[in-house]
Amino acid sequence: MKIKQIIIILITILLQQITTAQTETYTIAKTPFSSDFYDEFAPVFYQNGLVFVTNRSSGVTDYSTSQNANF
């Protein structure tokens, strides 16, 4: 009996995910401030702008990894 309930719950969740999935297409483009020399990742929209992590020296905030790479 519990197995049937679990299966029903899982099917319900799966169907909900399918029906509410993203249907729009989108385009990925390189931003004008991006470069091939620096590592830039983890973009997030914030206050009508884009915030991301980079290893270029900006003077804003610097963090370093265990391999002494600055971000």
Side-chain angles (χ1 to χ4, degrees):
M1 181 67 178
K2 288 189 178 189
I3 293 177
K4 287 183 182 181
Q5 289 175 337
I6 292 172
I7 291 173
I8 290 172
I9 291 171
L10 291 175
I11 290 173
T12 304
I13 292 171
L14 178 63
L15 289 175
Q16 181 184 13
Q17 293 298 318
I18 290 172
T19 59
T20 60
Q22 178 178 344
T23 58
E24 302 87 23
T25 58
Y26 56 91
T27 303
I28 298 173
K30 189 173 184 176
T31 58
F33 54 83
S34 295
S35 74
D36 293 330
F37 183 71
Y38 297 105
D39 297 326
E40 299 158 340
F41 55 93
V44 177
F45 287 113
Y46 179 71
Q47 294 184 353
N48 295 325
L50 185 66
V51 178
F52 60 94
V53 177
T54 181
N55 63 348
R56 68 174 78 186
S57 179
S58 66
V60 176
T61 303
D62 289 329
Y63 297 99
S64 58
T65 66
S66 59
Q67 292 86 16
N68 291 327
N70 289 330
F71 290 103

